[in-house]
Amino acid sequence: RLPTLPPLLSRASLQRCAPASMEASRVARSLVLRGGSTAAGSTAVGARLVGWVLTAAATTLYVPMIAELVRNQKAPESMSATTWSLQATGFVLTVVFHVRMGFPLSTFADFAALGVQALIILVLSMVYRKKANPIAALPVAGLTAAIVAPLDGLKALQAASAVVTTWALLPQIVSNFRSRSRGGWSATAAALSTIGNAGRLFTTITLADSNVLLLAQFAVAMLMNGCLLVQSLVWDDPVE
């Protein structure tokens, strides 16, 4: 008589025995494709599409401003280093928050692109003014804190990021009012940022579980960028 075979392995047991490479591949696909708990059907697909369109637009959003700085070899006095440092810090914190919370790549890839461009503008403004600004170290400090913080601390940092990112534009707006200039800001960049933040409200509701912190951040940022858009259309930078 043949010996009795052992019972079949359960699905959970098979999954535990799966190669690590297969698990890594599954996680990678999940990061790029999955939606939040509220995402379903065509709405989720549409939200992911919006997210990638915004990411594509964000890759060159501040490039005209960078090109203008390089072409003129100088930074307008009304260009606020505080604004760009806070912007870069907010973008960095938002990216790390999304990654550690497991939100889809399509909900935050644009912030990574914007963060790099904001850092370039910050560095160029200091180089052309030949003046270092201690606040330029803030993005590095924010990145370090977001990586090492426990989950509760990370959520607190994201709350800070929402405040930083939305109110980072305030110094630039105030400076523009005082100088009656656009502070080197691009009307195109302001318009695209306004539209982009409106789109992020949709993707956050659909793919990021309607995270309240993110919704508040994008709503206020939409209003701030709208103000910069008006300033950029009404005023020009003075010729020096």
Side-chain angles (χ1 to χ4, degrees), residues 58-71 74-75 79-81 83-85 87-89 91-92 111-129 136 139:
T59 56
T60 58
L61 183 64
Y62 295 143
V63 168
M65 301 170 67
I66 295 173
E68 185 176 355
L69 285 170
V70 173
R71 183 173 60 252
K74 63 182 178 182
M79 177 174 280
S80 171
T83 284
W84 288 108
S85 180
Q87 282 268 84
T89 302
F91 292 145
V92 165
F111 289 98
L114 292 173
V116 171
Q117 294 171 73
L119 284 171
I120 292 174
I121 292 176
L122 176 62
V123 171
L124 288 178
S125 68
M126 292 189 296
V127 168
Y128 292 141
R129 288 175 180 166

Side-chain angles (χ1 to χ4, degrees), residues 14-25:
L14 290 174
Q15 288 177 341
R16 285 195 295 269
C17 296
S21 59
M22 292 177 62
E23 178 65 14
S25 176

